[in-house]
Amino acid sequence: MSIYEGLTGKHLIAGNWVDGVETFHSLPIQSEGIAFARGTASDIDAAAIAAEAAFWPYSASSRATRAAFLNRIADEIEARGDRITAVGAAETGLPEARLTGERGRTTGQLRMFATHILKGDYLDCRKDAALPDRAPLPRPDLRLMQRPIGPVGVFGASNFPLAFSAAGGDTASALAAGCPVVVKGHPAHPGTSELVAQAISAAIAAEGLHAGIFSLVQSDTREAGEALVQHPLIQAVGFTGSLGGGRALFDLACARPTPIPFYGELGSVNPMFLLPAALEQQAKDIGAGWAASLTMGAGQFCTNPGLVFVVDGPDADAFEAAALAGLGAVAEQPMLTDPIASAYRRGRDELTAGTTVLLASTCEGRSAGPDLTTVTGDKFAANPHFAEEVFGPLGLIVRVKDTDELLAMAHGLAGQLTCTLHMLDADTALAKTLLPVLERKAGRILVNGFPTGVEVADAMMHGGPYPASTSVATTSVGTMAIRRFLRPVSYQNLPQDLLHDELKVL
């Protein structure tokens, strides 16, 4: 039996499987692909209209109803788990173990959001009691809570076919908030997206909800994505992808007659700072750990630590040698698509020009091997290109003269998803000097670890100043992600019968 058995190759729009006039072909690494409908602006329009119709009953539904729906989606995904893994592995080249773990993360965050909204804290309900006798003017009864923003557009990500795609964090947090979702599927894994869409459709039917709550439009062109961002019924967008593509969509969102929030996670080099005492005593261990983190999943993580700052000297030599040994033992790995592999080689060649290349891979086709290069702090500071993300297993070591230059490097950074300090107790004074700078630069700061791996939790911040993201105050991972798709509404002197239940009990 073909792994594509049971796939329609069609869009899911408001509960109906809809064919397209044109098609594109999936390009799996392990088998022959199949044709999928190529989405158009007309398909996006139909999905957005259905989402708007669904918004009214869904936004008014109880938290218990939405929690049951999220849990049901998780159940339906798990029921299709083996097929999702098989198709995902064929399409992306990712190992089954990685996809099984990612599936668990996807269902886990759905269930976590369900539990979170049942508690009600995310609504941030507030009350200022009426003061009718206050002089010189009385104060009215004021109550406030968060309300769903409206239909949400979501873009599937290339590097996470489950956790950041059809039922990933953006979709899950929007549904938890009470917002219908229109997903523009990523062409790197259309079969995986359809299987997940089947699971969501089954959950909608089982829970008796409006079919317009979720739609999936497949596409390998710009038309559907641009139409999604510009559609007047779409009130917010979630995106994980490249800086160039995300910035173009962000500009479209801002240029609308009524601009909307565009929550884009765009890229990061996730710098690590190796402080002197830690470098002296742990250079080999840090070098080996960095090599493993840098090449995990062929370096195709937004949190890939591609940049390391060290003070030049023998300890830096030891770190570099350990990193080289670790990277030299890593075989070539398949990348997610041929274009991503080509872009990696092109970006690597552009970035390494003018640096000292320590390790160069000879990868061809869809595969990529690790690359390592080094540069002085002076050269790094003079060339902003060195600080740009190259999506893949490329590491750049920046050797600075002293700790003053190390601090200057931190000040010169653009926005990042993460920054990491490797330190011992003897490095505390320097770390205290660096920390306020790194707080301005990154959404997450680590000590003695590696940033690949993002915990789905209440206290997680996955975002950061531009160009890491387009919204410095929000996260795309963790329960706080739900707040992106809510807005505060204040209610003044409303009678009890008009208040939401959560405000009546204040």
mmCIF file of all heavy atoms in Angstrom, residues 89 153 211 235 298 344 346 356:
data_model
loop_
_atom_site.group_PDB
_atom_site.id
_atom_site.type_symbol
_atom_site.label_atom_id
_atom_site.label_comp_id
_atom_site.label_asym_id
_atom_site.label_seq_id
_atom_site.Cartn_x
_atom_site.Cartn_y
_atom_site.Cartn_z
ATOM 1 N N ALA A 89 8.178 11.588 7.098
ATOM 2 C CA ALA A 89 9.548 11.153 6.844
ATOM 3 C C ALA A 89 9.837 11.124 5.347
ATOM 4 O O ALA A 89 10.924 11.513 4.898
ATOM 5 C CB ALA A 89 9.782 9.779 7.461
ATOM 6 N N GLY A 153 -4.937 33.944 10.035
ATOM 7 C CA GLY A 153 -4.189 33.239 8.993
ATOM 8 C C GLY A 153 -2.913 32.661 9.561
ATOM 9 O O GLY A 153 -2.222 33.311 10.349
ATOM 10 N N ALA A 211 -18.065 24.111 10.636
ATOM 11 C CA ALA A 211 -17.003 23.604 9.770
ATOM 12 C C ALA A 211 -16.010 24.675 9.354
ATOM 13 O O ALA A 211 -14.858 24.372 9.006
ATOM 14 C CB ALA A 211 -17.610 22.959 8.519
ATOM 15 N N GLN A 235 -7.783 38.815 10.572
ATOM 16 C CA GLN A 235 -7.488 39.850 11.572
ATOM 17 C C GLN A 235 -6.113 39.743 12.215
ATOM 18 O O GLN A 235 -5.696 40.647 12.947
ATOM 19 C CB GLN A 235 -8.562 39.821 12.660
ATOM 20 C CG GLN A 235 -9.961 40.105 12.146
ATOM 21 C CD GLN A 235 -10.057 41.465 11.464
ATOM 22 O OE1 GLN A 235 -9.791 42.497 12.076
ATOM 23 N NE2 GLN A 235 -10.414 41.461 10.187
ATOM 24 N N ALA A 298 20.335 18.647 10.642
ATOM 25 C CA ALA A 298 21.048 19.352 9.570
ATOM 26 C C ALA A 298 21.031 20.865 9.788
ATOM 27 O O ALA A 298 21.079 21.649 8.846
ATOM 28 C CB ALA A 298 20.473 19.002 8.196
ATOM 29 N N TYR A 344 21.324 26.952 1.314
ATOM 30 C CA TYR A 344 22.363 26.772 2.329
ATOM 31 C C TYR A 344 23.745 26.894 1.709
ATOM 32 O O TYR A 344 24.617 27.621 2.214
ATOM 33 C CB TYR A 344 22.228 25.420 3.027
ATOM 34 C CG TYR A 344 23.414 25.133 3.919
ATOM 35 C CD1 TYR A 344 23.624 25.873 5.072
ATOM 36 C CD2 TYR A 344 24.360 24.171 3.565
ATOM 37 C CE1 TYR A 344 24.738 25.654 5.872
ATOM 38 C CE2 TYR A 344 25.472 23.940 4.359
ATOM 39 C CZ TYR A 344 25.657 24.685 5.513
ATOM 40 O OH TYR A 344 26.761 24.475 6.301
ATOM 41 N N ARG A 346 24.637 28.332 -1.047
ATOM 42 C CA ARG A 346 24.857 29.692 -1.518
ATOM 43 C C ARG A 346 25.170 30.639 -0.346
ATOM 44 O O ARG A 346 26.112 31.435 -0.407
ATOM 45 C CB ARG A 346 23.621 30.168 -2.269
ATOM 46 C CG ARG A 346 23.745 31.550 -2.893
ATOM 47 C CD ARG A 346 22.599 31.827 -3.843
ATOM 48 N NE ARG A 346 21.292 31.761 -3.181
ATOM 49 C CZ ARG A 346 20.405 30.785 -3.357
ATOM 50 N NH1 ARG A 346 20.684 29.763 -4.155
ATOM 51 N NH2 ARG A 346 19.240 30.813 -2.737
ATOM 52 N N THR A 356 38.474 32.537 7.612
ATOM 53 C CA THR A 356 39.349 31.371 7.580
ATOM 54 C C THR A 356 38.495 30.116 7.708
ATOM 55 O O THR A 356 37.889 29.866 8.756
ATOM 56 C CB THR A 356 40.373 31.422 8.733
ATOM 57 O OG1 THR A 356 41.156 32.608 8.605
ATOM 58 C CG2 THR A 356 41.281 30.200 8.698
#
